[in-house]
Amino acid sequence: MSVIGEQIKKYRIEKGITQEQLGQMIGVTTQGVSRWERGGTPDAEILPRLSEILGVSIDTLFGREEQSLAMSLARRLSQMEEEEAYHYAFNICWAIELGLMGNNSVFEDFVNKFLDPTVLNEDKKLDYFAKNIHENGMANLRMSPDLNHFFLLLQPKGNLKDQLCDRESLRKVFAAFADDKLLRIILYVYSFPYMPIATSLISKNVGLSLQETDHCMQKLCEVNLVTCNVVATAEGNINSYNIRRESFAIPLLCFADEMAKKDWHPFLGEFNREKPFL
């Protein structure tokens, strides 16, 4: 059997289409389809229609998809407007989440439903989650009308704990989010544009004294959430702060929100991991 014959047979069966049905859709006989699957090659003008029906690219029909997928995806994203590119990339993440389940039976039900953004508008209050936790890693995805994110972790060599900072350094990071004053400041400064923010402005908007605000900001500098700059003014030197452009706080806030939810709906998941992460 030729490569293209193997691919036609593989994707025809995955689609649940018989040789006769595929032939009718394309306009060839059942014997013609059978001939392809036994080693023949379809005429070039048939290939676009064949790839459309089977839901794969022409490269895939010839077995070249794995080599060209990463480059073609990168090229396609780079040619899109930024907003469109991010939406398209999230759809790819959703496809990854489903693919890692290794269960073709879920594809049609969930892809057709949840890749359509109008579905999510049916209930503005609901958050949907997909979780895959396997021996070789984990993938978590959140999908809601206004907040979507994706996290993929490959299994580290050894265990995850060996790759992390020391416990005291981690404790300081979590302590920053656990402190009510610091959390108020984090939520304020991360709502601000990327420009220096004077201590007086932060103090005014979070309800703390100038001295207390400076003390809190130094704590946030210690855990790399903000950086401090000294500005010379006619009244003397003042401190101003910039949030880190890498936005370290945003992923942590998203996942903390997920953990804090009391009414979230994990609608899809597979958990078959036995060894610990830590």
Side-chain angles (χ1 to χ4, degrees), residues 96-102 131-139 153-155 269-275 277:
I96 290 170
E97 190 77 39
L98 288 174
L100 288 174
M101 291 189 66
K131 311 284 185 184
N132 281 305
I133 301 178
H134 300 129
E135 298 293 357
N136 291 299
M138 66 185 298
L153 174 69
L154 295 179
Q155 174 60 40
E270 182 172 271
F271 312 95
N272 60 11
R273 185 181 178 90
E274 295 183 2
K275 59 186 176 185
F277 274 111

Side-chain angles (χ1 to χ4, degrees), residues 7-29 33 36-37 42 45-58 60-61 108 112:
Q7 296 293 81
I8 291 172
K9 183 176 182 179
K10 172 185 173 182
Y11 291 108
R12 174 181 63 77
I13 292 173
E14 284 187 6
K15 284 282 188 180
I17 302 172
T18 66
Q19 288 183 341
E20 181 180 5
Q21 290 170 333
L22 180 59
Q24 290 173 347
M25 293 176 186
I26 297 175
V28 301
T29 64
V33 175
W36 298 339
E37 294 186 359
E45 61 269 19
I46 291 176
L47 291 175
R49 177 60 178 156
L50 187 59
S51 69
E52 179 185 354
I53 293 170
L54 296 178
V56 297
S57 69
I58 294 176
T60 299
L61 291 178
E108 292 294 332
N112 290 338

Side-chain angles (χ1 to χ4, degrees), residues 181-182 184-186 188-190 197-200 202-203 206 208-228 239-243:
K181 293 176 183 177
L182 295 181
R184 278 154 54 192
I185 291 174
I186 290 170
Y188 172 68
V189 298
Y190 271 81
I197 313 172
T199 306
S200 57
I202 301 171
S203 171
V206 300
L208 299 175
S209 69
L210 288 172
Q211 183 178 4
E212 195 170 19
T213 300
D214 260 330
H215 179 69
C216 289
M217 295 307 293
Q218 289 304 315
K219 288 185 175 180
L220 295 180
C221 287
E222 290 176 7
V223 294
N224 297 315
L225 288 175
V226 299
T227 58
C228 178
N239 290 335
S240 68
Y241 298 91
N242 286 84
I243 64 172

Side-chain angles (χ1 to χ4, degrees), residues 94-113:
W94 174 231
I96 290 170
E97 190 77 39
L98 288 174
L100 288 174
M101 291 189 66
N103 184 354
N104 291 344
S105 65
V106 303
F107 289 179
E108 292 294 332
D109 288 343
F110 287 103
V111 170
N112 290 338
K113 182 175 183 181

Side-chain angles (χ1 to χ4, degrees), residues 24-268:
Q24 290 173 347
M25 293 176 186
I26 297 175
V28 301
T29 64
T30 304
Q31 291 76 18
V33 175
S34 176
R35 197 160 46 247
W36 298 339
E37 294 186 359
R38 286 186 284 109
T41 301
D43 293 337
E45 61 269 19
I46 291 176
L47 291 175
R49 177 60 178 156
L50 187 59
S51 69
E52 179 185 354
I53 293 170
L54 296 178
V56 297
S57 69
I58 294 176
D59 271 348
T60 299
L61 291 178
F62 283 96
R64 298 193 295 260
E65 184 72 5
E66 290 301 320
Q67 301 172 10
S68 62
L69 178 60
M71 186 59 68
S72 63
L73 177 58
R75 187 177 294 111
R76 181 167 184 176
L77 286 168
S78 70
Q79 293 171 349
M80 292 179 176
E81 295 293 331
E82 185 177 291
E83 182 179 2
E84 181 188 7
Y86 268 88
H87 282 283
Y88 184 79
F90 186 76
N91 284 346
I92 298 298
C93 294
W94 174 231
I96 290 170
E97 190 77 39
L98 288 174
L100 288 174
M101 291 189 66
N103 184 354
N104 291 344
S105 65
V106 303
F107 289 179
E108 292 294 332
D109 288 343
F110 287 103
V111 170
N112 290 338
K113 182 175 183 181
F114 288 99
L115 286 187
D116 181 358
T118 61
V119 173
L120 295 175
N121 292 328
E122 295 174 4
D123 194 331
K124 287 285 187 181
K125 298 179 181 179
L126 290 183
D127 291 306
Y128 296 96
F129 298 87
K131 311 284 185 184
N132 281 305
I133 301 178
H134 300 129
E135 298 293 357
N136 291 299
M138 66 185 298
N140 294 339
L141 180 142
R142 175 178 182 172
M143 185 182 292
S144 64
D146 301 309
L147 179 59
N148 303 288
H149 59 75
F150 177 72
F151 172 76
L152 175 67
L153 174 69
L154 295 179
Q155 174 60 40
K157 292 182 179 179
N159 59 46
L160 181 59
K161 184 165 57 177
D162 294 336
Q163 315 300 321
L164 301 176
C165 287
D166 62 276
R167 191 173 64 194
E168 178 60 18
S169 297
L170 295 173
R171 187 198 64 77
K172 288 180 179 179
V173 173
F174 284 106
F177 287 86
D179 185 294
D180 180 62
K181 293 176 183 177
L182 295 181
L183 183 58
R184 278 154 54 192
I185 291 174
I186 290 170
L187 293 175
Y188 172 68
V189 298
Y190 271 81
S191 69
F192 213 78
Y194 284 104
M195 63 178 64
I197 313 172
T199 306
S200 57
L201 183 60
I202 301 171
S203 171
K204 176 182 177 181
N205 282 277
V206 300
L208 299 175
S209 69
L210 288 172
Q211 183 178 4
E212 195 170 19
T213 300
D214 260 330
H215 179 69
C216 289
M217 295 307 293
Q218 289 304 315
K219 288 185 175 180
L220 295 180
C221 287
E222 290 176 7
V223 294
N224 297 315
L225 288 175
V226 299
T227 58
C228 178
N229 300 288
V230 179
V231 180
T233 71
E235 291 75 30
N237 294 343
I238 63 170
N239 290 335
S240 68
Y241 298 91
N242 286 84
I243 64 172
R244 291 291 297 268
R245 296 188 72 87
E246 302 93 331
S247 300
F248 294 137
I250 302 306
L252 279 173
L253 288 170
C254 287
F255 283 103
D257 178 71
E258 179 178 327
M259 295 170 70
K261 291 283 184 185
K262 292 182 171 55
D263 59 348
W264 61 280
H265 305 273
F267 66 97
L268 181 65

